[in-house]
Amino acid sequence: NIGFLFQQMDLYLQTLGLGVCWLGMGRMNPKTTTEVEGMKFVIMLAFGHPKGDQLRHDRKGFKRKSMEQISDIVDPRLEPARVAPSSVNSQPWYFLHDGETLHVYCAERGILKRTHSLTDMNRIDIGIALAHLYVANPETFRFFREAKKEIYGK
């Protein structure tokens, strides 16, 4: 949920001309921060006035997976999710179509990438991709969570 909420804030702050950066390895200062019972620090979103333009205008340095790598069929509706940011540019989402319903899955990581922190970040990444779909399609976006299903071949 934090990826879904913070990415909407990220996009809004960008409309105000602010630069925004997700900090997955950030830490709270224990001298100035009080711990809330039952809650733990997850991720930090830094923002401020950039020295230059905060947006990319050249797609050469903008590496993203192809539509075929993130979906069972080429679907232009998924373009906002395809270009969404993700931790270490992993783009862990995969979409399966079931009529007009889209199912999103978090791709399994390889053995070297299966660290606890990256797995947690990939969950946040899924929320970020869903936020991009929501912002692009607020009238038709609906979300519900199902029990985990096995996908063979992915």
Side-chain angles (χ1 to χ4, degrees):
N1 201 21
I2 196 70
F4 185 78
L5 294 173
F6 267 27
Q7 186 59 16
Q8 290 175 72
M9 185 167 54
D10 176 329
L11 295 170
Y12 174 71
L13 291 170
Q14 288 181 52
T15 69
L16 301 177
L18 297 173
V20 185
C21 181
W22 288 80
L23 300 171
M25 302 303 264
R27 297 284 176 249
M28 301 297 290
N29 183 340
K31 293 179 183 177
T32 61
T33 306
T34 57
E35 192 172 309
V36 177
E37 188 174 326
M39 299 183 82
K40 67 175 189 166
F41 173 80
V42 178
I43 197 160
M44 186 178 294
L45 196 64
F47 57 93
H49 295 284
K51 290 183 180 178
D53 192 347
Q54 87 274 23
L55 302 176
R56 291 183 182 159
H57 296 284
D58 183 7
R59 287 190 176 229
K60 290 179 185 170
F62 191 66
K63 296 179 182 169
R64 291 292 185 265
K65 290 180 180 177
S66 68
M67 187 66 69
E68 293 83 3
Q69 291 174 293
I70 67 161
S71 178
D72 60 336
I73 63 172
V74 174
D75 184 346
R77 298 177 302 167
L78 294 175
E79 186 63 14
R82 193 186 75 77
V83 299
S86 60
S87 56
V88 296
N89 206 23
S90 60
Q91 293 178 270
W93 42 82
Y94 190 80
F95 295 91
L96 287 176
H97 292 74
D98 181 10
E100 286 299 309
T101 301
L102 292 170
H103 297 271
V104 62
Y105 296 90
C106 188
E108 292 289 326
R109 310 304 328 147
I111 191 71
L112 295 176
K113 293 183 180 179
R114 263 189 215 156
T115 66
H116 180 67
S117 62
L118 188 56
T119 299
D120 286 346
M121 293 300 164
N122 284 164
R123 290 181 184 140
I124 293 170
D125 294 337
I126 297 296
I128 292 170
L130 289 174
H132 276 234
L133 291 177
Y134 168 69
V135 168
N137 305 286
E139 302 83 25
T140 59
F141 183 89
R142 301 288 178 271
F143 175 81
F144 60 94
R145 189 175 185 145
E146 292 182 337
K148 183 178 178 181
K149 294 181 180 180
E150 291 294 322
I151 305 174
Y152 297 102
K154 293 290 170 202

PDB file of all heavy atoms in Angstrom, residues 23-37:
ATOM      1  N   LEU A  23      14.007   6.494  -1.226  1.00  0.00           N
ATOM      2  CA  LEU A  23      15.212   6.081  -0.499  1.00  0.00           C
ATOM      3  C   LEU A  23      14.913   4.797   0.273  1.00  0.00           C
ATOM      4  O   LEU A  23      14.459   4.827   1.418  1.00  0.00           O
ATOM      5  CB  LEU A  23      15.670   7.177   0.465  1.00  0.00           C
ATOM      6  CG  LEU A  23      16.011   8.519  -0.185  1.00  0.00           C
ATOM      7  CD1 LEU A  23      16.247   9.579   0.867  1.00  0.00           C
ATOM      8  CD2 LEU A  23      17.224   8.376  -1.091  1.00  0.00           C
ATOM      9  N   GLY A  24      15.186   3.672  -0.353  1.00  0.00           N
ATOM     10  CA  GLY A  24      14.926   2.382   0.266  1.00  0.00           C
ATOM     11  C   GLY A  24      15.904   2.050   1.371  1.00  0.00           C
ATOM     12  O   GLY A  24      15.599   1.281   2.271  1.00  0.00           O
ATOM     13  N   MET A  25      17.085   2.620   1.320  1.00  0.00           N
ATOM     14  CA  MET A  25      18.093   2.342   2.341  1.00  0.00           C
ATOM     15  C   MET A  25      18.180   3.479   3.361  1.00  0.00           C
ATOM     16  O   MET A  25      19.104   3.530   4.147  1.00  0.00           O
ATOM     17  CB  MET A  25      19.457   2.120   1.679  1.00  0.00           C
ATOM     18  CG  MET A  25      19.450   0.989   0.665  1.00  0.00           C
ATOM     19  SD  MET A  25      18.927  -0.561   1.374  1.00  0.00           S
ATOM     20  CE  MET A  25      20.502  -1.271   1.729  1.00  0.00           C
ATOM     21  N   GLY A  26      17.226   4.397   3.328  1.00  0.00           N
ATOM     22  CA  GLY A  26      17.218   5.507   4.275  1.00  0.00           C
ATOM     23  C   GLY A  26      16.981   5.025   5.699  1.00  0.00           C
ATOM     24  O   GLY A  26      16.459   3.936   5.926  1.00  0.00           O
ATOM     25  N   ARG A  27      17.389   5.825   6.648  1.00  0.00           N
ATOM     26  CA  ARG A  27      17.184   5.503   8.061  1.00  0.00           C
ATOM     27  C   ARG A  27      16.672   6.741   8.785  1.00  0.00           C
ATOM     28  O   ARG A  27      17.071   7.853   8.479  1.00  0.00           O
ATOM     29  CB  ARG A  27      18.489   5.055   8.724  1.00  0.00           C
ATOM     30  CG  ARG A  27      19.060   3.791   8.147  1.00  0.00           C
ATOM     31  CD  ARG A  27      18.249   2.589   8.646  1.00  0.00           C
ATOM     32  NE  ARG A  27      18.723   1.377   8.030  1.00  0.00           N
ATOM     33  CZ  ARG A  27      18.040   0.674   7.141  1.00  0.00           C
ATOM     34  NH1 ARG A  27      16.854   1.049   6.763  1.00  0.00           N
ATOM     35  NH2 ARG A  27      18.526  -0.409   6.628  1.00  0.00           N
ATOM     36  N   MET A  28      15.808   6.521   9.753  1.00  0.00           N
ATOM     37  CA  MET A  28      15.300   7.604  10.578  1.00  0.00           C
ATOM     38  C   MET A  28      16.338   7.934  11.650  1.00  0.00           C
ATOM     39  O   MET A  28      17.035   7.042  12.133  1.00  0.00           O
ATOM     40  CB  MET A  28      13.983   7.196  11.232  1.00  0.00           C
ATOM     41  CG  MET A  28      12.887   6.826  10.240  1.00  0.00           C
ATOM     42  SD  MET A  28      12.388   8.167   9.163  1.00  0.00           S
ATOM     43  CE  MET A  28      11.553   9.212  10.317  1.00  0.00           C
ATOM     44  N   ASN A  29      16.430   9.187  12.041  1.00  0.00           N
ATOM     45  CA  ASN A  29      17.338   9.606  13.106  1.00  0.00           C
ATOM     46  C   ASN A  29      16.686   9.269  14.449  1.00  0.00           C
ATOM     47  O   ASN A  29      15.666   9.857  14.804  1.00  0.00           O
ATOM     48  CB  ASN A  29      17.611  11.107  12.993  1.00  0.00           C
ATOM     49  CG  ASN A  29      18.595  11.589  14.018  1.00  0.00           C
ATOM     50  OD1 ASN A  29      18.835  10.948  15.038  1.00  0.00           O
ATOM     51  ND2 ASN A  29      19.189  12.743  13.750  1.00  0.00           N
ATOM     52  N   PRO A  30      17.256   8.332  15.211  1.00  0.00           N
ATOM     53  CA  PRO A  30      16.626   7.932  16.475  1.00  0.00           C
ATOM     54  C   PRO A  30      16.581   9.054  17.510  1.00  0.00           C
ATOM     55  O   PRO A  30      15.767   9.029  18.421  1.00  0.00           O
ATOM     56  CB  PRO A  30      17.485   6.759  16.954  1.00  0.00           C
ATOM     57  CG  PRO A  30      18.758   6.859  16.199  1.00  0.00           C
ATOM     58  CD  PRO A  30      18.466   7.601  14.931  1.00  0.00           C
ATOM     59  N   LYS A  31      17.426  10.079  17.359  1.00  0.00           N
ATOM     60  CA  LYS A  31      17.433  11.196  18.312  1.00  0.00           C
ATOM     61  C   LYS A  31      16.248  12.135  18.106  1.00  0.00           C
ATOM     62  O   LYS A  31      15.830  12.812  19.029  1.00  0.00           O
ATOM     63  CB  LYS A  31      18.738  11.986  18.187  1.00  0.00           C
ATOM     64  CG  LYS A  31      19.964  11.210  18.619  1.00  0.00           C
ATOM     65  CD  LYS A  31      21.208  12.044  18.452  1.00  0.00           C
ATOM     66  CE  LYS A  31      22.430  11.223  18.813  1.00  0.00           C
ATOM     67  NZ  LYS A  31      23.665  11.977  18.585  1.00  0.00           N
ATOM     68  N   THR A  32      15.729  12.179  16.883  1.00  0.00           N
ATOM     69  CA  THR A  32      14.646  13.118  16.590  1.00  0.00           C
ATOM     70  C   THR A  32      13.333  12.440  16.213  1.00  0.00           C
ATOM     71  O   THR A  32      12.352  13.115  15.936  1.00  0.00           O
ATOM     72  CB  THR A  32      15.057  14.062  15.439  1.00  0.00           C
ATOM     73  OG1 THR A  32      15.320  13.277  14.274  1.00  0.00           O
ATOM     74  CG2 THR A  32      16.281  14.880  15.806  1.00  0.00           C
ATOM     75  N   THR A  33      13.319  11.110  16.197  1.00  0.00           N
ATOM     76  CA  THR A  33      12.139  10.375  15.762  1.00  0.00           C
ATOM     77  C   THR A  33      11.655   9.458  16.877  1.00  0.00           C
ATOM     78  O   THR A  33      12.444   8.755  17.483  1.00  0.00           O
ATOM     79  CB  THR A  33      12.473   9.521  14.520  1.00  0.00           C
ATOM     80  OG1 THR A  33      13.032  10.366  13.529  1.00  0.00           O
ATOM     81  CG2 THR A  33      11.230   8.858  13.971  1.00  0.00           C
ATOM     82  N   THR A  34      10.379   9.488  17.127  1.00  0.00           N
ATOM     83  CA  THR A  34       9.820   8.558  18.103  1.00  0.00           C
ATOM     84  C   THR A  34       9.200   7.381  17.357  1.00  0.00           C
ATOM     85  O   THR A  34       8.608   7.543  16.293  1.00  0.00           O
ATOM     86  CB  THR A  34       8.733   9.229  18.972  1.00  0.00           C
ATOM     87  OG1 THR A  34       7.723   9.736  18.114  1.00  0.00           O
ATOM     88  CG2 THR A  34       9.324  10.357  19.797  1.00  0.00           C
ATOM     89  N   GLU A  35       9.366   6.208  17.923  1.00  0.00           N
ATOM     90  CA  GLU A  35       8.830   4.995  17.317  1.00  0.00           C
ATOM     91  C   GLU A  35       7.354   4.867  17.660  1.00  0.00           C
ATOM     92  O   GLU A  35       6.945   5.112  18.793  1.00  0.00           O
ATOM     93  CB  GLU A  35       9.600   3.788  17.848  1.00  0.00           C
ATOM     94  CG  GLU A  35       9.333   2.532  17.075  1.00  0.00           C
ATOM     95  CD  GLU A  35      10.258   1.405  17.510  1.00  0.00           C
ATOM     96  OE1 GLU A  35      11.475   1.628  17.544  1.00  0.00           O
ATOM     97  OE2 GLU A  35       9.737   0.327  17.831  1.00  0.00           O
ATOM     98  N   VAL A  36       6.566   4.518  16.667  1.00  0.00           N
ATOM     99  CA  VAL A  36       5.140   4.300  16.881  1.00  0.00           C
ATOM    100  C   VAL A  36       4.951   2.813  17.151  1.00  0.00           C
ATOM    101  O   VAL A  36       5.395   1.969  16.371  1.00  0.00           O
ATOM    102  CB  VAL A  36       4.316   4.755  15.656  1.00  0.00           C
ATOM    103  CG1 VAL A  36       2.848   4.455  15.856  1.00  0.00           C
ATOM    104  CG2 VAL A  36       4.550   6.230  15.386  1.00  0.00           C
ATOM    105  N   GLU A  37       4.301   2.498  18.231  1.00  0.00           N
ATOM    106  CA  GLU A  37       4.125   1.101  18.626  1.00  0.00           C
ATOM    107  C   GLU A  37       3.413   0.306  17.542  1.00  0.00           C
ATOM    108  O   GLU A  37       2.397   0.734  16.994  1.00  0.00           O
ATOM    109  CB  GLU A  37       3.324   1.026  19.923  1.00  0.00           C
ATOM    110  CG  GLU A  37       3.269  -0.366  20.504  1.00  0.00           C
ATOM    111  CD  GLU A  37       2.592  -0.397  21.853  1.00  0.00           C
ATOM    112  OE1 GLU A  37       2.729   0.563  22.623  1.00  0.00           O
ATOM    113  OE2 GLU A  37       1.907  -1.407  22.103  1.00  0.00           O
TER     114      GLU A  37
END
